[in-house]
Amino acid sequence: MGQAAPGFKKHPDHIVYITALPGTYIQSFGDVEIARSTQVLEVTESRHMTRLYFPVQDIDLSCLEEADHMSYCPFKGEARYWTVKGGALSLQDGAWAYDDPYEECVTLKDHICFYAEKDGFSLKKEG
């Protein structure tokens, strides 16, 4: 069992809902399909926009270049980042993941999220 998230002790009314979505989701950057999955997780969190997390095995990792940037969330844990590349486009810190998330968010392990609202990204759903 992992470590409990300290954020929920300080803010017990904070929510992080993680839901498996039906259908196939396709994430593109520029003119390049960078992810396609039937196992996408939707994360709804207090005071944050809803995010989609793709399983690592469903991502074209050649489109990601590890960045030096790290961040911390008291509810999910420490995140590492990648620069996303698609054709002629590049976005520094355009994707992130929680390698060792807190136990309340352990399902995010082995998933990557993209800054889908940034220029160059497009998301499509099939089915």
Side-chain angles (χ1 to χ4, degrees):
M1 191 102 143
Q3 183 180 3
F8 290 109
K9 286 184 181 182
K10 289 183 179 180
H11 306 282
D13 58 337
H14 189 89
I15 61 159
V16 178
Y17 291 131
I18 302 172
T19 309
L21 294 178
T24 300
Y25 286 81
I26 303 155
Q27 182 71 71
S28 297
F29 186 63
D31 58 356
V32 177
E33 182 178 299
I34 59 176
R36 175 185 289 261
S37 182
T38 59
Q39 299 175 332
V40 171
L41 298 177
E42 180 182 65
V43 177
T44 305
E45 182 175 0
S46 299
R47 299 180 296 281
H48 292 279
M49 70 184 308
T50 298
R51 297 282 182 195
L52 301 184
Y53 283 73
F54 286 78
V56 170
Q57 72 266 13
D58 295 339
I59 296 171
D60 180 351
L61 298 177
S62 70
C63 296
L64 303 181
E65 182 178 292
E66 192 151 1
D68 292 332
H69 184 71
M70 303 283 282
S71 67
Y72 175 73
C73 170
F75 303 98
K76 295 185 291 295
E78 189 172 276
R80 67 180 172 125
Y81 288 75
W82 291 268
T83 295
V84 180
K85 298 183 179 230
L89 295 180
S90 179
L91 179 62
Q92 185 174 346
D93 301 333
W96 69 92
Y98 297 93
D99 292 332
D100 190 21
Y102 289 124
E103 65 185 41
E104 295 88 345
C105 296
V106 73
T107 54
L108 294 181
K109 186 170 179 54
D110 299 323
H111 286 72
I112 295 177
C113 186
F114 300 97
Y115 268 119
E117 73 274 17
K118 302 280 186 177
D119 287 345
F121 282 103
S122 61
L123 180 70
K124 193 167 58 171
K125 180 185 179 202
E126 293 178 349

